[in-house]
Amino acid sequence: MWTWLASRVLRNRRGILVVLALVTGLMAWEMTKVKVSYKFGGLLPKTDSAYVNYQVLQSKFSEDGNVIVLGVKDPGLYQLENFREWYRLGVELKDLTGVDSVFSEAHLYDLVRNDSLKRFTLQPLLVREPASQAQVDSLIARVHALPFYKGLLYNEASGASLMMVFVNADRFNSEDRGDMVDRIQERVDQFAEGRFKVYHSGLPFIRTVVTERTKTELRMFVGLMVLTVAFLIFLFFRSWRVMFVCLTVVVVAVVWALGSIGLLGYKLTSVMAVIPPLIIVIGIPNCIFLINKFHNEFAAHGNSVKALSRVIQRVGNASFITNATTAVGFATFMLTYSDVLKQFGVIASLNIMAVFLLSILLVPILFSFLKDPEPKHLAHLDRKWVDKATASLIHIVQYRRPAVYTGALLLVVVGLIGASRLKNESHVVDDLPADDPVMKDLAFFEQEFNGVMPLEVMVDTRKKGHALKDATLKRIDKLQQKMDAHPELSRSLSIADAVKYTRQAFYGGDSARYGLLTSTDKTFMAPYVDASQSSGGLVKAFMDEERQSTRITTQVADMGTAKMDVFMATLRAEVDSIFDPAKYKVILSGTSVVFLEGSKYMVQNLMISLVMALVLIAGLMALLFNSARMVLVSLVPNIIPLIATAGLMGYLEIPIKPSTLLVFSIALGIAVDDAIHYLSKYRYELKTSNHNIKTSVLAAIHESGVSMIYTSVVLFCGFSLFVFSDFGGTQALGLLVSFTLLVAMFTNLLILPSLLLSFENVMTTRSFDEPLLDIMDEEEDIDLSELQLETKEEGTA
């Protein structure tokens, strides 16, 4: 098959280039359609109870998590000129497209009794800019006399004050959002200049920061990856033409990757943004493999056409299998129930195979148009430092195997001890560093108002009209008292507070009258209450149309999944002690709950996908080597690096969360390629050495070691770039994958051959010599050091 493919590729090189150019043009067009996801979530399956509860909440009430909060803690805010600017700021923000409403101490409404209409009406406390300091002082005194707003918009003890900017959820979560947050930020900065610090937070603001940084980092890392691999390629080959060919392959591959996201209608998420850089660091080793073979072949006989043909024949199958193995590791994400992971698995696995296709086509074709390699281009074949390295490895495997096993055992023990310290911990905002302005501002709101992450309690009375019954209101009030006692929660708000406010309004705004209605109150207030309920107002914000369900809304601190689980269990116990589960259905939901539940679910699915990857890769290797023993011995050196990485995470206190758990699946899929290359070379050497195991093991180290060192250097440097990310999860991904692949290189070069030598009569069976699936032309090895490509096509073009 590969001989036939080699001839077709070289004979039809111009036609293939035209087809690839057309496909690339199509993908470039689709790339322009890629949209960014501005919503948290997508981690839970649609059948999960947390997801279902959140959908029920949204169907009955407006979406939560659509508030940008601005905070000030300075007594100067209440000086006339500053307060005027605070008022103007709110008015101007309200006029921005996409902003629904603004509330602050300067933009509040009072509930007023209207005797002529027999109803309550909402009237602004401040109609225009205050004219005097006395007016400001009077306004603040009036606001503080309204218990409904206490702890909601101001902290009386510390003097902190909030401005809540409610954005349109549908518009904000779409591409139509434009530069809304930037315009809000710009206007707030104008207000703050020369006055005092204004803190920013709220899910819309945080989502915007994370999303914009994701887009920025995608461009940055693609650029850094290209520069890094260009430098490494030039360092390895000292050839501009080689660098040009490699960069062409990876740039086209990145276009295909982004285009496939748009073609399938997926959105760019923080997880999906990893794919383009990932494709680059996976694609470059393919190119190195092919180009090394080309140069080795050309150095042997000087015929570029023959060299290019042999590149496809003898490297194509091996590259296909190693890329397929990597793709299988990512494809396991498609077996999960998370849409985010499914989409990641689809795009990653498809494009890993796509970059193989581009490599096997573009490298031979482009070199066929170039001049034959000159002696200086082949100078890299005389790799003295690599030869010394492989000689050292051979010496260790031959004479120091007990030390190898001792080191491996020590690494496993130390790794397991460190792994025992691992914690499963995710936060809504956990990928930003602690000193980031977003995190500092979030800490301010958690300190002054206990949190900004939405948490909703929905009470379903199971009977129409019962949400306003006295028994329900008293239970809600009792639950709120318990909730307000939790330092993790901000001031809660409910229909009970709205009812209390109406009572205060009926009695002329007397704050002493703020409370639930008595039987006497109902007699006098009945006409007002009925009119207010029919017109909506405050009541509408807290009840569904049938007045069967009502909500208690609050905000919770971003305490992390571990503490959140304990807190939610405590809150659930308090809810059930007040609302009999047999009579009431109470849902604990909100964006914070959905996100944290989604993170836990994603961690569970990533663990499952890792196990699936191990099983599928083992199955694929069983087809390659037709030996269960050889599959076992090949997996051992690739599981040890995963244990070592888990230990490193434990010692560095890097928690298990979606961004860090991706490390294991990515590293396993890539690292196992080294074992495949080594064992393939080993099997070939067995045939040529008359089944001399020792000779074959050492020869395989000498030949495959070059390939494994080269590719490991590229992968290590490529993934190390992620440490420059603003996101802690991405930094950890770069650090941990680099570490894992580095360890895997040594385990595959030391432990794997050591096991083959120590158990030579047990491991190498006759079935190993007769594989079910050949991965290379058995006539000749396909080691990286022997890869070679051709520049001309004499008569073939």
Side-chain angles (χ1 to χ4, degrees), residues 401-411:
R401 287 199 297 277
V404 170
Y405 297 142
T406 301
L409 181 60
L410 182 62
L411 185 62

Side-chain angles (χ1 to χ4, degrees), residues 576-589:
D576 291 343
S577 69
I578 297 172
F579 291 94
D580 185 355
K583 297 179 180 180
Y584 299 91
K585 180 181 180 182
V586 182
I587 292 173
L588 304 180
S589 189

Side-chain angles (χ1 to χ4, degrees), residues 680-688 778-781:
S680 301
K681 177 64 179 176
Y682 168 62
R683 186 173 61 194
Y684 169 75
E685 292 294 336
L686 282 176
K687 290 181 176 292
T688 59
E778 297 290 1
E779 291 182 4
E780 186 170 334
D781 183 22

Side-chain angles (χ1 to χ4, degrees), residues 289-547:
F289 213 132
L290 295 166
I291 294 169
N292 262 335
K293 181 64 176 176
F294 169 55
H295 284 170
N296 240 311
E297 285 284 340
F298 184 82
H301 49 68
N303 187 321
S304 60
V305 175
K306 182 179 180 181
L308 287 175
S309 178
R310 285 190 173 180
V311 164
I312 299 175
Q313 292 175 38
R314 295 171 179 170
V315 181
N317 207 357
S319 294
F320 172 78
I321 294 301
T322 53
N323 280 269
T325 305
T326 304
V328 164
F330 286 95
T332 56
F333 293 128
M334 293 187 286
L335 303 178
T336 67
Y337 295 99
S338 168
D339 288 342
V340 170
L341 290 180
K342 283 182 180 179
Q343 293 172 10
F344 176 75
V346 169
I347 297 298
S349 56
L350 286 178
N351 282 284
I352 287 170
M353 297 312 300
V355 75
F356 157 74
L357 179 65
L358 289 170
S359 302
I360 203 68
L361 293 178
L362 285 177
V363 170
I365 288 175
L366 291 178
F367 271 101
S368 70
F369 286 102
L370 299 174
K371 294 181 180 179
D372 288 348
E374 299 176 7
K376 64 179 180 179
H377 298 142
L378 305 179
H380 70 92
L381 295 176
D382 184 19
R383 297 174 289 262
K384 294 183 178 179
W385 67 272
V386 176
D387 290 339
K388 290 181 180 179
T390 53
S392 298
L393 292 171
I394 290 172
H395 175 78
I396 293 172
V397 170
Q398 266 190 297
Y399 305 109
R400 307 295 297 273
R401 287 199 297 277
V404 170
Y405 297 142
T406 301
L409 181 60
L410 182 62
L411 185 62
V412 170
V413 171
V414 172
L416 290 175
I417 293 174
S420 67
R421 302 182 181 183
L422 281 173
K423 295 180 180 179
N424 184 352
E425 184 77 7
S426 297
H427 292 258
V428 177
V429 189
D430 67 346
D431 274 348
L432 295 175
D435 60 349
D436 189 275
V438 173
M439 298 300 289
K440 289 183 177 180
D441 285 7
L442 179 61
F444 166 81
F445 289 105
E446 291 186 347
Q447 178 182 345
E448 299 295 335
F449 299 94
N450 297 346
V452 296
M453 302 302 168
L455 177 64
E456 300 279 347
V457 180
M458 192 187 84
V459 179
D460 184 354
T461 64
R462 302 181 190 269
K463 294 180 182 179
K464 295 181 180 179
H466 275 236
L468 276 173
K469 292 292 183 180
D470 286 347
T472 304
L473 293 175
K474 290 178 180 178
R475 286 185 171 89
I476 291 174
D477 188 43
K478 185 177 180 180
L479 177 59
Q480 283 186 267
Q481 292 176 26
K482 287 183 175 292
M483 292 173 64
D484 291 343
H486 288 289
E488 300 90 351
L489 295 178
S490 68
R491 156 79 192 282
S492 61
L493 212 55
S494 73
I495 185 64
D497 295 297
V499 171
K500 292 178 183 180
Y501 197 4
T502 60
R503 185 172 187 265
Q504 179 184 358
F506 183 80
Y507 290 105
D510 182 3
S511 59
R513 296 283 191 166
Y514 186 80
L516 295 176
L517 303 184
T518 64
S519 56
T520 303
D521 296 328
K522 292 179 183 178
T523 303
F524 295 108
M525 294 177 57
Y528 295 85
V529 173
D530 291 341
S532 297
Q533 291 179 10
S534 62
S535 62
L538 284 175
V539 174
K540 186 178 180 181
F542 297 104
M543 287 197 307
D544 64 353
E545 294 181 356
E546 296 176 336
R547 301 178 190 174

Side-chain angles (χ1 to χ4, degrees), residues 54 64 203 428 453-456 555-557 564 589-598:
Y54 186 64
D64 68 339
L203 279 184
V428 177
M453 302 302 168
L455 177 64
E456 300 279 347
Q555 287 77 42
V556 64
M564 188 71 167
S589 189
T591 304
S592 56
V593 175
V594 171
F595 180 84
L596 293 174
E597 287 295 322

